[in-house]
Amino acid sequence: MNLAAVAEAISWSALLCSLTAATVLSVLAFLRPRAAYLWFAAGTLAVAIMAAATLGEPARMGFAPLVTILGFAVAVFGGSPAAATALRLAMGSVAPGLHGGIIITERPTADEQRMGVTTGARREVLRGGLTIGVLERIASAGAIIAGFPEALAIVVAVKGVGRFTELEAAEARERFIIGTFASLIWACAAALVVHLALR
C-alpha cells in the first residue's frame, strides 16, 4: 500500500467520522437547543470541509449516498440553531410570538399621533420561520450539491418577496437578514462538504 492510498484512507475516515459527528450534533442542537451542541457541530463541520478538500478522488459509489444524506441532514437540522444563535448574539432577546414570529410595535399613524397616542399596536411578524428555514436550507443545499449555485439567488428572492410586507419594522428587517444569512451560510457549508466529496 503506497503513501497516497494511506493519505486517501485517512481523509475518507476523517470525513466520514466528522460528518457523522456533525450530523448527530446538529440534530441534537435542533431538538434540544444548547449552544454547546451547535459549537461542536460547527467544529466538526469545519473538519469535514477540510477532510473533503484533501480528497484526491471523488466518492466511491458506496460512500456517495451516505455523504449526501449526512450533508443534507447537517444542512437542514443545523441551520435553525445556527440562525437562532446568530440572532441571540446580534440582537439579544426579542419578545417571541405565539406562532414562531416576533412581536413588534408599529409606529403610530399620523392620526394616532394627533390624538396623543405615543405607541402603536403590537403584532406578530415573521411567523413560520422554522418551516420556511427548513425549506430554504433544503433548496440551498440541493442547489449546491447539484452544481447549480445560481439557484441560491432564486431562494433568497422568493423568501424576500414572501416576507416583503413584514419588513417595514427595523427589528423585522434585522432578524430577517441575520437569520437568513446564518441559515444559508450553514446550509452552504454542509453542502460544500458533499460537493467536494463528490466532485
Side-chain angles (χ1 to χ4, degrees):
M1 188 176 233
N2 64 15
L3 191 59
V6 171
E8 189 75 6
I10 290 171
S11 292
W12 272 107
S13 297
L15 171 63
L16 292 174
C17 289
S18 59
L19 194 54
T20 300
T23 302
V24 170
L25 290 163
S26 294
V27 171
L28 282 172
F30 183 82
L31 297 175
R32 296 185 176 156
R34 287 188 177 71
Y37 292 148
L38 177 69
W39 293 115
F40 283 121
T44 55
L45 181 57
V47 171
I49 291 171
M50 289 186 285
T54 63
L55 294 175
E57 58 186 62
R60 294 170 184 85
M61 291 310 289
F63 288 143
L66 177 62
V67 169
T68 303
I69 290 167
L70 291 174
F72 255 113
V74 172
V76 172
F77 288 104
S80 183
T85 299
L87 287 166
R88 195 168 39 254
L89 291 172
M91 303 188 72
S93 63
V94 176
L98 294 175
H99 305 287
I102 61 167
I103 303 296
I104 62 164
T105 303
E106 295 178 328
R107 288 184 292 182
T109 64
D111 290 338
E112 289 173 331
Q113 287 176 350
R114 278 195 297 276
M115 294 170 40
V117 176
T118 57
T119 59
R122 294 170 53 87
R123 68 180 176 112
E124 184 175 359
V125 296
L126 303 178
R127 296 165 39 152
L130 182 63
T131 304
I132 292 169
V134 166
L135 295 172
E136 164 194 315
R137 290 187 295 277
I138 289 171
S140 301
I144 290 176
I145 291 169
F148 186 52
E150 296 85 1
L152 291 174
I154 298 168
V155 171
V156 173
V158 167
K159 187 174 179 184
V161 168
R163 292 291 200 188
F164 182 73
T165 59
E166 298 179 288
L167 298 178
E168 46 184 64
E171 313 95 287
R173 281 193 303 274
E174 290 166 1
R175 286 185 69 83
F176 177 80
I177 292 168
I178 292 168
T180 297
F181 279 167
S183 178
L184 281 174
I185 289 168
W186 185 274
C188 290
L192 178 62
V193 173
V194 179
H195 179 75
L196 290 172
L198 301 182
R199 72 181 189 281

